[in-house]
Amino acid sequence: MTSATSDTIIWTGTYTPDGGGRAEGIGALREHQDGSLEWLGTAVPAQSPSFVAVHPSLPVVYAVAEQRKRVQAYRRTGAFGLEPQGPSHAAGEATCHVAVDRQGRFVAAACWGDGQVLLYELDADGGITGRLPAPPSVDPHASLSPGEPRQSRAHTSLMLQDGRIMTTDLGHDTLRIWNYEPGTGLVADHEVALPYGSGPRHLAQHSNGNVFVVSEYSVEVFIVRPEAGTFELVFRGPATSGGSQSGDSAAEICLSQDGRFAYVGVRGSNIISTLEVGGGGTELLPVRDAASGGDWPRHHLVRGNWLHVAHERSDNVATFALDPVTGLPGAVVHNVTTPSPTALVPER
């Protein structure tokens, strides 16, 4: 592992009063070489920008307005500021996540409220030019819910190494894999059905191509492996070493820099679970659970030897030093106050 680069800007997604939070818009933190974070302030006023994404080569940031059902592009300005780039664009109910194509061709947005997956094509300056809805999800477990149909709830998008896109659907317990066609948007490739009621939420791709999934409802981890172009479920296990408690919901999964460990955040119990990546990337084995350093760990980020954990309800980001051998976080080494943080996204 290496130390984090000094003076990197980390954008914070947030909830503002319309989403029950205390922030004023997208926040900005400065990351120092000793792992500490410095709160710089609000980069731009915005309405509940609960998730943000960064263009791969341009000084452009994209954010949802979760309660307002919009997606907005912002351009960098000044020391840590952002300003709107063009008008905002319509999204869906409770738009909760955005991700940018590795080549900067489009942005994908996931809508928790109504299950929509939307694609926004980009111009050469990173501006949004058009909105293309993807086909809606069909519940593969519909026979297990004979009463009221379950609501589709798209939650995240992951740009895969091979150029395809994978999205999660919490409500239908599915992973949906897509191809991008210019002018058409997302074209379905195939789907992977996960166990009924698991609620797949967030994703991380290992260097070997396998995708690690954390499930919000069942607090589990899954691994899907690409076989001849089709992803197949090859592993299912607990996300924590101590088991989940009533009221727990898993939030985020990310990998150590060397890919030997994964970290899962669990709200309710307020823990970070360290899992060892075994079997050449085909197993996730819980090692230890540790207090997350605040209330409601919504999102976390590994930067070199440091693990930063954003706590939505206690208004802080806690930083842990990671042991380079065991991968385990020690005690909290830095703590910074920042209002209602819901995502941590480095500028580069």
Side-chain angles (χ1 to χ4, degrees):
M1 294 184 179
T2 59
S3 297
T5 303
S6 63
D7 296 330
T8 297
I9 297 294
I10 295 179
W11 307 113
T12 68
T14 67
Y15 277 130
T16 54
D18 72 337
R22 293 156 296 283
E24 297 177 351
I26 299 172
L29 296 164
R30 188 182 307 282
E31 181 187 39
H32 298 294
Q33 197 161 13
D34 64 357
S36 64
L37 298 176
E38 175 190 359
W39 170 246
L40 299 178
T42 299
V44 64
Q47 299 296 324
S48 287
S50 59
F51 210 90
V52 300
V54 174
H55 193 283
S57 59
L58 297 173
V60 180
V61 173
Y62 305 91
V64 303
E66 183 170 322
Q67 307 302 318
R68 306 302 174 95
K69 301 184 289 186
R70 311 292 292 181
V71 170
Q72 174 72 58
Y74 297 91
R75 179 166 290 276
R76 276 285 265 119
T77 180
F80 64 89
L82 296 169
E83 61 184 10
Q85 178 171 323
S88 66
H89 292 257
E93 293 285 344
T95 310
C96 62
H97 190 273
V98 283
V100 188
D101 167 51
R102 292 166 181 254
Q103 299 178 46
R105 298 169 298 175
F106 61 85
V107 169
C111 305
W112 181 88
D114 55 19
Q116 288 193 78
V117 178
L118 302 167
L119 183 139
Y120 301 84
E121 293 187 311
L122 304 177
D123 61 24
D125 295 322
I128 296 173
T129 61
R131 172 183 180 272
L132 300 167
S137 174
V138 176
D139 189 353
H141 302 295
S143 63
L144 300 177
S145 301
E148 190 73 18
R150 298 196 300 169
Q151 174 63 54
S152 168
R153 297 197 182 282
H155 203 281
T156 194
S157 305
L158 177 67
M159 305 299 159
L160 299 173
Q161 296 164 2
D162 64 7
R164 291 181 293 179
I165 303 95
M166 182 179 288
T167 62
T168 61
D169 196 301
L170 273 163
H172 287 173
D173 303 311
T174 55
L175 308 176
R176 307 175 74 192
I177 296 88
W178 311 86
N179 291 293
Y180 167 61
E181 290 188 5
T184 299
L186 294 175
V187 177
D189 188 303
H190 66 283
E191 297 184 5
V192 180
L194 297 187
Y196 179 81
S198 55
R201 178 181 170 95
H202 275 203
L203 309 167
Q205 188 167 28
H206 194 270
S207 59
N208 67 5
N210 292 353
V211 175
F212 299 166
V213 186
V214 65
S215 60
E216 177 172 340
Y217 300 152
S218 65
V219 193
E220 293 179 287
V221 286
F222 301 87
I223 298 177
V224 293
R225 180 173 62 196
E227 295 285 352
T230 301
F231 282 90
E232 298 180 0
L233 179 62
V234 296
F235 179 84
R236 176 187 187 182
T240 67
S241 61
S244 60
Q245 308 300 313
S246 176
D248 278 355
S249 61
E252 173 68 0
I253 184 169
C254 71
L255 295 171
S256 63
Q257 186 170 288
D258 57 15
R260 294 190 299 126
F261 302 98
Y263 302 94
V264 168
V266 179
R267 299 165 294 181
S269 292
N270 294 338
I271 60 173
I272 295 291
S273 173
T274 301
L275 301 96
E276 184 178 3
V277 178
T282 61
E283 298 177 319
L284 283 170
L285 309 173
V287 178
R288 185 183 300 173
D289 304 336
S292 66
D295 186 13
W296 216 248
R298 173 70 175 252
H299 194 255
H300 58 271
L301 172 71
V302 170
R303 295 278 291 168
N305 289 330
W306 310 104
L307 172 66
H308 305 302
V309 185
H311 295 93
E312 177 188 333
R313 295 183 179 175
S314 54
D315 299 333
N316 72 298
V317 179
T319 297
F320 300 83
L322 297 174
D323 187 296
V325 177
T326 66
L328 294 171
V332 174
V333 292
H334 301 286
N335 212 340
V336 62
T337 299
T338 175
S340 305
T342 56
L344 300 172
V345 180
E347 187 171 42
R348 288 287 179 268

